[in-house]
Amino acid sequence: MTIAVFPGSFDPLTNGHLDLIERASRMFDQLIVAVGQNTAKRGVFTASERVAFIETEIADLDNVSVQVETGLTVDFMRSVHATVLVRGLRNSTDFEFEQGIAGMNRTLAAEMDTVCLMAAPKYQFVSSSLLKEVAQFGGDLTSLVPPAVAAGLRDRLERE
Ligand code: ADP
């Protein structure tokens, strides 16, 4: 049985993330979405808010679950007996970034592999950070994020 982990900030979940979750859930026996805190990014939503958005959207996917991860991804993966780390690639910037992280993770845990899935063309330009900027100025995000996330973004950014 192959258990895969898809780690990320998910601040917030986008349809690009969801597309990756659905595709990875068909490739592996179990998929755990691991919500972490990217040390370089300040969060708009708390970890439990981010988990709640994801839980709603994965309700119909039997082999997918979501957890908060606080330490090193490879330590989390060991604790859940996962051997595959899933990430997404939108462009060459993602590639450079993922190549570094995959190399580091490989050094920390030689028994694990990183599998990168290409972003769907229609979501190639979708990033949580860009969406937050658009939301700040009242842009329509309904085709890019789940409805609850669109409402959450409006609510959160209006209050700031
Ligand atoms: P992190 O801060 O760890 O990069 P993100 O939530 O920004 O977390 O992204 C998590 C993963 O999802 C990354 O591998 C990223 O490349 C991937 N990803 C983000 N947006 C998309 C998208 N639109 N399509 C496919 N993969 C994506």
Side-chain angles (χ1 to χ4, degrees), residues 35-149:
V35 173
Q37 190 68 61
N38 184 321
T39 43
K41 297 181 191 168
R42 189 184 143 266
V44 165
F45 296 99
T46 66
S48 35
E49 286 169 332
R50 287 179 265 154
V51 165
F53 288 139
I54 297 169
E55 263 171 355
T56 307
E57 301 304 319
I58 63 170
D60 292 339
L61 298 171
D62 290 342
N63 63 337
V64 182
S65 58
V66 57
Q67 290 188 37
V68 173
E69 171 217 341
T70 48
L72 278 178
T73 301
V74 292
D75 288 340
F76 173 76
M77 287 176 66
R78 279 197 189 103
S79 74
V80 296
H81 309 291
T83 51
V84 176
L85 195 165
V86 175
R87 295 282 286 178
L89 295 181
R90 287 162 294 191
N91 47 43
S92 56
T93 310
D94 274 357
F95 175 77
E96 300 278 330
F97 183 69
E98 297 301 338
Q99 190 179 34
I101 301 194
M104 177 58 77
N105 284 332
R106 186 78 188 188
T107 308
L108 295 171
E111 72 280 17
M112 292 172 192
D113 251 308
T114 298
V115 171
C116 290
L117 301 184
M118 301 299 292
K122 63 178 174 180
Y123 298 132
Q124 230 151 25
F125 63 96
V126 175
S127 70
S128 300
S129 17
L130 190 52
L131 293 189
K132 284 182 278 199
E133 278 190 49
V134 174
Q136 243 170 334
F137 298 104
D140 180 14
L141 299 175
T142 46
S143 61
L144 303 177
V145 293
V149 173

